[in-house]
Structure formats: structure tokens, C-alpha cells
């Protein structure tokens, strides 16, 4: 079945540091890929998405590129802020008539001033 | 700014009591999902609906959990009887046919003592 593997956290960075959170997936077809973010005490919010190979999703300074050859969708940001502290989830959807999302376990990011 | 709403936000109850959680999906969305989040298990899909019809509830303990959509503006998740192991945050999410991203509500934090 489908699966998503994220790097284990927690990740602790200083403000303005470069961020990478690794995500790899296993899927039988051509899934859509997503990054969601969960701030403390809140629900998950869609951060960015990519629907086909080589697509780059971007939002709020975060980027991720759909790499079919390496089955990866790594999240990056050039300069993190304290306000980026949250849990980040990588997810995939097989698409078609299947609307289920398969989530990774989440990576806790803490950014210190 | 359309949002998924959930009530109550917090619920504390005693073991054996019935618990009902409610969700109002975003107007026009026709897929609704229920998730449970715990530290140990992460994010688990319990059930989901399309056009108010249940499509998959394989993640839900059938003997005590039930999920329904009485109309397009209301989804309910009921636990009867509740047990301490049901303590978790329960999220509702909605989406629309043709898109695969999901929009999450703020969650109901359930504590069963």
C-alpha cells in the first residue's frame, strides 16, 4: 500500500538557518504530494502541493519539488523564523476517485531566536 | 474566509458516557473526513464520506464509534460508550471533488476519565 516516510524529529534550528525536512513515498500510481503544517493547538493547514513529476510547490518561503526518480518531496526554506515552529506533515493522495490522504508521522520543528 | 468548524473544542467525560462531536464542512465541499490524533499513533483516518455517503470507515472501531452526515452541512462522530483510550484530538476535514487537498477544522480535544 501507499506510505510516506519523513525524517524523524525533533528538528531545532536558530532563526535564519536553512531548513530541510526529508520526505519519501511509496505509491503504486502517480500521486499528488502535499506538505501540511500544524501550529500548536490548531488543525492541519495545507502549506503547498505538487500534482505531477518535476512540479515545484511553494508558499510562504517554503518549497518542495516532486521528484519521481527518487520518490521524494523534500521541504526546504532558506531562512526560518521563530513563527515557523510547528509540526510538518508530508502526505500523498493517489488521486482518481480515491480522496484519502496518506500522512507521514510528522516532524516537529522548533526555531529559536 | 471559509473554514471547517468543529464543536465542542474541548470535552471531558467519564468512561461509559456517550460523546458526540460535530463538524460543519466548508460550503460546497462534498468530501468529509474524520481523523484521530494521538502522540502514540499520530494521525489516523477513521472514516470518510463523499456526497454524504460513507465510503470508508475501516479505521473506526465499529462496536463503539459511528459517523453520519444527516445533511450536507453537518457531520457527526459519536462514541458510545467512551473509554479512556479514546482520549485524543479528533479532526474533521473537508474537500471537493476534483481536488485532493483537505481543509481541517480546529479539532475536538476529548479526555475520557
Amino acid at each position: 500500500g501507499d506510505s510516506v516516510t519523513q525524517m524523524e524529529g525533533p528538528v531545532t534550528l536558530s532563526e535564519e538557518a536553512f531548513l530541510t525536512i526529508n520526505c519519501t513515498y511509496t505509491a503504486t500510481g502517480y500521486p499528488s504530494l502535499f506538505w501540511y503544517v500544524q501550529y500548536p493547538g490548531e488543525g492541519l493547514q495545507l502549506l503547498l502541493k505538487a500534482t505531477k513529476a518535476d512540479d515545484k510547490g511553494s508558499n510562504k518561503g517554503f518549497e518542495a519539488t516532486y521528484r519521481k526518480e527518487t520518490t521524494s518531496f523534500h521541504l526546504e526554506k532558506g531562512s526560518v523564523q521563530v513563527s515557523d515552529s510547528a509540526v510538518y506533515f508530508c502526505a500523498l493522495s493517489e488521486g482518481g476517485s480515491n480522496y484519502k490522504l496518506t500522512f507521514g508521522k510528522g516532524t516537529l520543528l522548533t526555531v529559536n531566536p | 474566509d471559509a473554514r471547517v468548524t468543529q464543536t465542542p473544542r474541548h470535552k471531558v467525560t467519564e468512561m461509559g458516557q456517550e460523546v458526540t462531536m460535530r463538524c460543519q464542512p466548508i460550503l460546497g465541499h462534498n468530501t468529509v473526513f474524520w481523523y484521530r490524533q494521538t502522540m502514540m499513533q499520530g494521525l489516523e483516518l477513521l472514516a470518510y464520506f463523499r456526497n454524504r455517503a460513507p465510503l470508508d470507515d475501516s479505521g473506526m472501531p465499529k462496536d463503539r464509534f459511528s459517523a453520519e452526515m444527516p445533511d450536507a452541512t453537518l457531520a457527526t462522530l459519536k462514541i458510545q460508550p467512551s473509554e479512556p483510550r479514546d482520549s485524543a484530538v479528533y479532526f474533521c476535514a473537508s474537500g471537493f471533488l476534483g481536488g485532493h487537498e483537505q481543509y481541517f477544522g480546529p479539532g475536538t480535544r476529548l479526555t475520557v476519565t
Side-chain angles (χ1 to χ4, degrees), chain A residues 35-112:
Chain A
W35 276 101
Y36 280 80
V37 58
Q38 184 178 27
Y39 298 104
E42 298 184 11
L44 280 70
Q45 301 175 25
L46 178 65
L47 180 59
L48 54 84
K49 68 176 183 179
T51 58
K52 61 183 188 297
D54 299 325
D55 267 2
K56 178 186 284 188
S58 61
N59 186 24
K60 300 181 181 179
F62 291 90
E63 294 183 338
T65 300
Y66 189 142
R67 300 285 187 204
K68 186 168 179 290
E69 63 276 13
T70 54
T71 61
S72 65
F73 193 55
H74 305 320
L75 182 68
E76 296 182 337
K77 187 175 186 182
S79 176
V80 293
Q81 306 300 311
V82 172
S83 56
D84 294 327
S85 298
V87 180
Y88 292 82
F89 293 89
C90 186
L92 71 80
S93 170
E94 276 284 11
S97 60
N98 184 350
Y99 291 87
K100 289 165 60 171
L101 284 174
T102 300
F103 285 93
K105 292 189 180 299
T107 302
L108 173 63
L109 170 66
T110 302
V111 181
N112 295 317

Side-chain angles (χ1 to χ4, degrees), chain A residues 32 34 36 38 41-46 49 89 93-101 103-105, chain B residues 9 31 33 35 37 41 43 45 48 50 56 58 91 96-106:
Chain A
S32 295
F34 305 86
Y36 280 80
Q38 184 178 27
E42 298 184 11
L44 280 70
Q45 301 175 25
L46 178 65
K49 68 176 183 179
F89 293 89
S93 170
E94 276 284 11
S97 60
N98 184 350
Y99 291 87
K100 289 165 60 171
L101 284 174
F103 285 93
K105 292 189 180 299
Chain B
R9 292 294 313 276
T31 56
F33 304 80
Y35 292 90
Q37 185 178 41
Q41 299 297 326
L43 203 59
L45 177 65
Y48 84 101
R50 187 170 71 204
D56 185 347
S58 58
F91 288 105
F96 54 90
L97 282 176
H100 292 272
E101 55 262 43
Q102 295 176 18
Y103 298 83
F104 282 72

